[in-house]
Amino acid sequence: QVQLVESGGGLVQAGGSLRLSCAASGAVFSINAMGWYRQAPGKQRELVAAITSGGSTNYAGSVKGRFTISRDNAKNTMYLQMNSLKPEDTAVYYCKSWSRGGDYWGQGTQVSVSS
């Protein structure tokens, strides 16, 4: 199994920045890719960004150019650098791993952007 713990959420003004972290533990050797999802109140959970073990990335159109996903394999940690935040980025952000043994989710961290 893989355990994922997010951190770094908070309240920020529009135009500000936050960096989220997702620390993985357990069967980290089995992780093929990791990603960030978000879920706003009353909306479906959506993929924000993902990164493979080889470093390939993809982003949702709404965050492209503002968010950067990265991963430090030595620390078993994934990051999401969020710049130029907008009120519509307000959501609970979840970390997810796609592993040989299954898919795993973190508990989520709240990001709130005030206008």
Side-chain angles (χ1 to χ4, degrees):
Q1 287 193 345
V2 174
Q3 294 79 44
L4 302 171
V5 179
E6 302 99 332
S7 61
L11 174 64
V12 64
Q13 288 189 331
S17 298
L18 282 174
R19 188 176 83 153
L20 305 183
S21 299
C22 173
S25 61
V28 297
F29 56 88
S30 70
I31 296 175
N32 294 317
M34 298 182 73
W36 290 97
Y37 282 73
R38 66 185 180 187
Q39 187 167 20
K43 294 189 176 181
Q44 288 190 330
R45 193 172 296 190
E46 63 174 356
L47 177 66
V48 175
I51 185 167
T52 68
S53 56
S56 298
T57 59
N58 70 284
Y59 296 90
S62 60
V63 307
K64 198 171 291 186
R66 300 188 297 122
F67 291 9
T68 302
I69 190 171
S70 62
R71 133 183 218 181
D72 185 333
N73 291 328
K75 295 182 179 180
N76 297 320
T77 301
M78 175 181 65
Y79 304 97
L80 186 67
Q81 178 67 43
M82 304 185 294
N83 299 328
S84 303
L85 282 160
K86 304 175 181 180
E88 50 264 43
D89 294 318
T90 294
V92 177
Y93 283 70
Y94 297 91
C95 171
K96 180 178 181 179
S97 72
W98 291 270
S99 310
R100 288 194 292 276
D103 300 344
Y104 298 93
W105 292 90
Q107 81 288 352
T109 185
Q110 176 71 47
V111 171
S112 298
V113 185
S114 62
S115 56

